[in-house]
Amino acid sequence: MFDLNVFFDGMSKPLLRNAHANAFGKKGLLNNALIQSETLSFYSDKNRVAGLFAKMELWQRRCLNLIYNSGSRGLAFNELRLSVPVSKNRELQTFLLSMCREYVIYRSFVGGTPIYIGFSDFIGCFEVKPEGEIDTSSPLVSYQNLLDWHICVVLANAKKKQLRVNSNGTLHRRGRQVCAESFISARHASEKACEHEIALIFSFLVQNGWLERENTFLLPSASAIDFIHKNGFRLHQDVISWWIKERFHGDRDLCARLLNYLGDGLSATDAALLFWVMDPSYRIQEKCKILPWEFLPRPLCELWLLGLVDFRMAQGKVTSVVLSQSGKDWLATSIASIPDANLTSLPNFDLVVSTGMAPRVLYSLACLAKVKNDETFLCFTLDKETYVAGLKCGFPESEVENLRNWIKPPENVSSTLAEWNASFYGAKVRTARLLKVESVEVLSELSRFPQFMECTEEYIPGYGFILNPEREARAFEILENYGFFPYVGESTENRAPASLDEWRAEFAIAWPDAKKIDYDLKDDADEASAQATMDSTKYGSVYQKLSTFDLVKVLRYAKTVGTPLAAKIMDTTKRNAKLEEKMFYVHALHLAKSPSMVEIQESGKEERFSLDLSFIREIKVLGKKAAAPQA
């Protein structure tokens, strides 16, 4: 977002003089510095802006409110069309251009598409009072920091080689199913919530280089394990910081401003409107008081998954949104609070562990034990088969010993774990790194050097040492001080970074990168680009295959606006059915019973008939002139 001073500084001198003349009338010859100073003082006056705002209709106020809530992202013309009543669509362009000429907002272009952005001078000047009634009686559904546990689950599944990839680098269907079956708590909000969480977690892991591909498997990278071991306490905070970078392009202040609006709570529709500016891909629901997960903006859903907001829900739909305690702490300190860490080990080989425990412990248990639930307090069971299978994934003996110290099991459990460890570590078949030191004098010194001996497993008198694989790097550093630079060989691992493409497609939300500022403000700019912008959405005038959910949105849009549609239809109940093209108007939708039907009227005909949604293969939106008027 620019401030007005920078905006006027980039304006051509003739246009600046015109802006000055519009503000004060022609006052004779003035030097450029005085013109800019006087123009800035007039247009930056917040009382002038408040006067304009007071005279506006409600839809105009909301339009400006949305533009300013979008921060530096801005909103495209066609996105703003989805935010105003259908009857006001024709007035929208005139209103936006008038606000640009009043220097309340400015217009920029991205590939010919106009983007409207606010000035930093007027942040907070266009507040619209929430209209919805806040529900305080429905049960509160909180996710807290279950996301941290689920990240550990995904890394553990990768460690156990349960995540395969297809030949094109995408996650195999079975691997996605394994993750979905673990994320049970997400389904308390919606089945769709599980899919969003998978996209969120894998996007984070892949972009941070925490997952690598080896042949057909995804495996945790060394950097991921190192972070979990050394900096796991920062995991939740790092996920939030990464998310703000992705969703708000690093603008923490904008995220904090939107969260502050939640205050003690907002209705679902008001909260959705607040965060719609970060995901303006659908028409705003005007009359719905409660919203299913699918009708919430993606960033608002992800805030719930991150534990920064809580939902109140009734009949499987969100009624209101409140800022969680973790969200309040993050606003106050930039660090989100996490639940207390609790761990109880029982004699029956069960463990009760809170998700506030260190990710290092959660990750180890996800690899070595069975988990019975997916709640804030997790119940694990230790059994030999799962435990030894986890050890076979490549757990160092020191890490297993650390886990036993953390869980402090009763004597019967401790002795059994010792037996299981002995059955695996008692007899080892592995490749050892043998260090031979030719100098007898140096060999003797190294054998008496405690820091070096910590890096070895065994001293072989007269020959050398067996190195500890986990501390080889430190051993080589010490050897360099003695003038030795041993060749350690190349890694035998055939690993490559995990593919980004699948998760970029699933997780990404459009963020136009505004470039050239439009100072001329020609009236035809929006109309020329409107159809091109519309074609890039599901409401475009080119044939598209749509999911049932998106298809219903388009049909509802066509019914509301009264615009005709064209569809390629195949009646699968008939033998040798052929693909037909029909142009029609939508009169009603019947979705309560299966099969879902739409009542349509073909262009140029009077009769209406019902069409099964599953028969529609492709669909596009036609202009008013593309079909004959309705009978």
Side-chain angles (χ1 to χ4, degrees):
M1 299 177 76
F2 287 121
D3 59 34
L4 276 166
N5 190 29
V6 173
F7 180 81
F8 285 130
D9 201 36
M11 186 182 285
S12 67
K13 296 302 180 285
L15 287 176
L16 186 59
R17 287 180 176 276
N18 288 340
H20 183 273
N22 290 335
F24 298 102
K26 297 187 183 298
K27 297 176 64 175
L29 295 175
L30 297 173
N31 66 64
N32 290 332
L34 183 57
I35 288 176
Q36 184 165 335
S37 174
E38 288 187 353
T39 305
L40 178 64
S41 66
F42 176 83
Y43 285 108
S44 62
D45 183 7
K46 292 185 178 180
N47 290 328
R48 177 187 73 91
V49 171
L52 290 172
F53 193 59
K55 298 174 184 176
M56 293 179 191
E57 297 179 42
L58 180 59
W59 69 270
Q60 295 172 327
R61 295 184 186 185
R62 175 187 281 185
C63 193
L64 287 180
N65 176 250
L66 292 173
I67 291 173
Y68 271 84
N69 282 349
S70 69
S72 58
R73 181 196 186 279
L75 290 172
F77 176 67
N78 256 30
E79 292 171 342
L80 286 165
R81 282 174 53 157
L82 296 174
S83 71
V84 302
V86 174
S87 60
K88 301 296 181 180
N89 272 342
R90 294 184 181 276
E91 301 176 37
L92 179 60
Q93 181 185 345
T94 304
F95 169 69
L96 292 173
L97 287 174
S98 69
M99 289 299 99
C100 288
R101 289 168 180 143
E102 290 286 349
Y103 304 109
V104 173
I105 56 177
Y106 68 93
R107 184 166 74 175
S108 183
F109 282 97
V110 180
T113 300
I115 307 294
Y116 294 90
I117 308 173
F119 290 106
S120 58
D121 306 63
F122 303 134
I123 291 176
C125 293
F126 301 102
E127 305 303 327
V128 175
K129 185 179 178 181
E131 300 175 357
E133 184 178 344
I134 302 173
D135 174 25
T136 57
S137 59
S138 298
L140 201 64
V141 180
S142 173
Y143 213 58
Q144 295 193 30
N145 68 326
L146 274 167
L147 186 75
D148 298 8
W149 157 241
H150 291 160
I151 289 174
C152 294
V153 169
V154 172
L155 291 174
N157 288 337
K159 184 73 171 176
K160 293 185 286 189
K161 292 192 172 182
Q162 294 183 348
L163 302 181
R164 286 182 176 271
V165 290
N166 300 313
S167 57
N168 60 358
T170 58
L171 184 64
H172 190 273
R173 174 182 53 81
R174 177 54 186 159
R176 188 182 286 266
Q177 184 180 350
V178 166
C179 295
E181 288 172 352
S182 301
F183 303 169
I184 299 170
S185 287
R187 296 197 184 98
H188 295 163
S190 167
E191 288 291 333
K192 194 76 173 176
C194 188
E195 297 176 24
H196 284 172
E197 186 175 13
I198 289 174
L200 176 66
I201 289 175
F202 275 89
S203 296
F204 171 74
L205 294 177
V206 171
Q207 288 188 37
N208 282 278
W210 283 19
L211 285 176
E212 294 177 335
R213 178 177 177 176
E214 183 176 311
N215 299 322
T216 60
F217 293 103
L218 287 179
L219 298 173
S221 66
S223 60
I225 303 303
D226 187 62
F227 182 93
I228 292 293
H229 283 181
K230 297 178 181 178
N231 302 298
F233 64 93
R234 284 181 16 216
L235 176 61
H236 196 73
Q237 187 60 34
D238 276 26
V239 175
I240 293 175
S241 299
W242 165 83
W243 182 80
I244 290 173
K245 181 180 177 182
E246 289 297 310
R247 283 291 179 252
F248 291 85
H249 279 220
D251 191 347
R252 182 201 178 278
D253 292 339
L254 175 58
C255 180
R257 179 153 62 90
L258 296 183
L259 282 175
N260 269 316
Y261 286 137
L262 290 176
D264 296 326
L266 284 179
S267 67
T269 49
D270 287 329
L273 186 65
L274 193 62
F275 287 92
W276 175 88
V277 294
M278 293 293 123
D279 180 22
S281 59
Y282 60 93
R283 179 167 290 280
I284 291 174
Q285 304 297 308
E286 295 285 348
K287 300 179 181 180
C288 297
K289 294 183 179 179
I290 58 177
L291 296 174
W293 177 280
E294 292 79 4
F295 282 80
L296 295 176
R298 175 75 76 88
L300 183 58
C301 296
E302 290 166 350
L303 280 167
W304 181 77
L305 293 170
L306 290 166
L308 297 181
V309 302
D310 295 335
F311 289 163
R312 289 195 181 277
M313 301 191 69
Q315 300 175 351
K317 296 183 179 181
V318 180
T319 60
S320 62
V321 182
V322 297
L323 201 60
S324 68
Q325 185 58 50
S326 182
K328 293 175 182 176
D329 292 341
W330 182 80
L331 285 176
T333 64
S334 294
I335 299 175
S337 60
I338 57 177
D340 294 333
N342 295 296
L343 192 154
T344 304
S345 184
L346 304 174
N348 65 349
F349 290 82
D350 279 355
L351 299 169
V352 179
V353 185
S354 73
T355 52
M357 277 300 294
R360 185 174 184 175
V361 178
L362 296 175
Y363 168 72
S364 297
L365 289 173
C367 290
L368 299 172
K370 287 182 179 178
V371 64
K372 298 179 179 179
N373 63 341
D374 185 48
E375 299 169 15
T376 306
F377 283 90
L378 301 163
C379 184
F380 293 92
T381 296
L382 294 165
D383 66 70
K384 186 174 182 179
E385 183 181 354
T386 306
Y387 189 84
V388 174
L391 295 180
K392 288 179 181 179
C393 295
F395 261 81
E397 190 172 4
S398 59
E399 187 64 17
V400 175
E401 190 59 34
N402 286 335
L403 177 63
R404 192 159 62 151
N405 293 333
W406 287 324
I407 66 178
K408 296 181 175 59
E411 183 58 35
N412 68 314
V413 178
S414 181
S415 61
T416 303
L417 291 180
E419 289 179 13
W420 295 348
N421 291 337
S423 69
F424 183 78
Y425 295 111
K428 304 176 186 176
V429 178
R430 66 179 180 86
T431 301
R433 183 89 73 174
L434 195 62
L435 174 68
K436 182 179 181 181
V437 182
E438 299 287 356
S439 170
V440 176
E441 182 181 347
V442 173
L443 178 61
S444 177
E445 287 184 22
L446 288 172
S447 67
R448 297 193 303 271
F449 188 15
Q451 283 81 359
F452 182 80
M453 292 304 294
E454 288 177 357
C455 303
T456 68
E457 292 187 353
E458 188 177 339
Y459 167 50
I460 306 173
Y463 184 90
F465 307 88
I466 297 177
L467 296 179
N468 183 336
E470 298 176 42
R471 301 185 180 179
E472 279 185 4
R474 175 60 179 152
F476 295 143
E477 289 177 11
I478 295 173
L479 285 172
E480 288 181 12
N481 295 329
Y482 285 85
F484 295 114
F485 302 94
Y487 174 69
V488 298
E490 297 181 356
S491 172
T492 58
E493 292 182 327
N494 181 26
R495 290 196 179 188
S499 173
L500 285 166
D501 295 341
E502 175 183 13
W503 308 112
R504 185 183 287 118
E506 283 200 30
F507 181 73
I509 291 176
W511 183 291
D513 184 15
K515 294 179 181 178
K516 181 183 176 182
I517 297 176
D518 178 23
Y519 287 108
D520 295 331
L521 298 173
K522 294 180 179 178
D523 289 0
D524 59 349
D526 284 333
E527 290 299 331
S529 62
Q531 191 57 51
T533 307
M534 182 70 88
D535 285 344
S536 65
T537 72
K538 54 180 162 282
Y539 303 99
S541 61
V542 294
Y543 275 117
Q544 298 181 70
K545 290 183 179 180
L546 300 178
S547 66
T548 303
F549 180 72
D550 286 336
L551 178 61
V552 169
K553 278 188 174 182
V554 172
L555 294 171
R556 280 178 174 157
Y557 166 78
K559 176 179 177 292
T560 303
V561 179
T563 190
L565 300 174
K568 293 181 179 179
I569 298 168
M570 180 181 289
D571 187 348
T572 54
T573 62
K574 297 180 180 178
R575 275 190 175 185
N576 303 320
K578 294 182 180 180
L579 203 61
E580 298 180 78
E581 185 178 30
K582 293 182 185 291
M583 290 185 291
F584 57 86
Y585 291 88
V586 177
H587 283 279
L589 287 166
H590 305 290
L591 308 175
K593 296 180 181 179
S594 183
S596 298
M597 308 293 286
V598 55
E599 186 181 329
I600 66 172
Q601 178 184 357
E602 281 194 68
S603 179
K605 298 182 180 180
E606 295 186 5
E607 65 273 11
R608 302 177 186 180
F609 68 93
S610 294
L611 174 67
D612 191 325
L613 261 60
S614 65
F615 293 173
I616 300 177
R617 293 291 180 261
E618 296 181 5
I619 196 165
K620 67 179 180 180
V621 178
L622 300 174
K624 289 283 188 181
K625 297 178 182 179
Q630 281 182 272

